[in-house]
Amino acid sequence: HMFERPSLVTQVNNYLGSMELPYRIRVHPLGSPETVGAVVHLTLVNQSTGLEVSPSDVGVGYSQVLPLIAQSVLSRGSVVCVEQPELHLHPAMQARLGDMFIDQALGGNNVQFIIETHSESLMLRILRRIREGRLTPEDVQVLYVDQTDGGNSVVHDLLIHESGEFLSEWP
């Protein structure tokens, strides 16, 4: 439960800051004697105005990326599957999302991500971090699914050189 562990809220807020989002989360525990389990109310605090708003009151990109960040922080040693995390996000934020995936996979949390993406920005960030030595080609597997003329799907394993370049042609 995130509200019981302030360090998790801090981690989420640090990622929001690194993505240059103007909001930070605040978690308010709710409940009564009749409540079974944890009930919380999550708000976003605008960093410049201090105004608290609901996640549904901000742009779609923010409200989509927030659960992804929270799930990544909470999922120690787990597999997290993500479909098109880049939707409604600016290309620069897509790249920063790549850094979050790398941090959570290799920074001690040992989260394994399976990501279905069309984001060139996300892929280029991961290749850049390989060039910089922050991760190795063995840390990443890129599978490209293509369709034959007959309509069958073919999966291509795109190998990556330690220089951060694809060894086979990137479609």
Side-chain angles (χ1 to χ4, degrees):
H1 298 100
M2 189 172 280
F3 75 94
E4 295 171 342
R5 296 182 46 203
S7 65
L8 296 177
V9 173
T10 299
Q11 285 181 48
V12 170
N13 283 332
N14 288 343
Y15 281 121
L16 291 172
S18 71
M19 291 184 190
E20 299 182 10
L21 296 173
Y23 298 99
R24 300 297 172 265
I25 63 167
R26 185 172 290 157
V27 181
H28 305 276
L30 300 176
S32 68
E34 297 83 32
T35 305
V36 176
V39 178
V40 298
H41 175 67
L42 176 76
T43 59
L44 293 171
V45 180
N46 185 299
Q47 289 300 101
S48 57
T49 66
L51 184 67
E52 284 192 46
V53 296
S54 165
S56 62
D57 295 329
V58 296
V60 176
Y62 297 137
S63 58
Q64 277 188 219
V65 79
L66 182 58
L68 176 57
I69 293 170
Q71 188 64 53
S72 298
V73 167
L74 289 168
S75 296
R76 290 179 171 265
S78 298
V79 176
V80 174
C81 298
V82 184
E83 183 178 7
Q84 295 185 340
E86 71 273 8
L87 286 183
H88 307 292
L89 297 180
H90 185 279
M93 193 182 296
Q94 294 174 24
R96 292 182 195 117
L97 204 53
D99 283 329
M100 186 208 62
F101 291 138
I102 293 167
D103 288 345
Q104 291 302 305
L106 302 178
N109 282 353
N110 197 28
V111 179
Q112 182 178 2
F113 291 96
I114 298 173
I115 304 167
E116 187 275 330
T117 184
H118 301 123
S119 174
E120 183 178 12
S121 298
L122 177 61
M123 194 69 250
L124 290 174
R125 177 58 56 99
I126 290 170
L127 294 174
R128 175 180 170 185
R129 296 303 185 226
I130 291 172
R131 279 193 303 280
E132 295 171 351
R134 190 154 166 216
L135 70 160
T136 69
E138 292 75 30
D139 295 324
V140 179
Q141 183 174 21
V142 178
L143 301 174
Y144 176 74
V145 181
D146 199 6
Q147 197 169 41
T148 65
D149 292 336
N152 296 319
S153 295
V154 179
V155 179
H156 303 278
D157 190 352
L158 302 180
L159 300 176
I160 303 171
H161 189 269
E162 60 191 25
S163 66
E165 302 292 332
F166 284 114
L167 292 172
S168 42
E169 186 176 335
W170 184 11

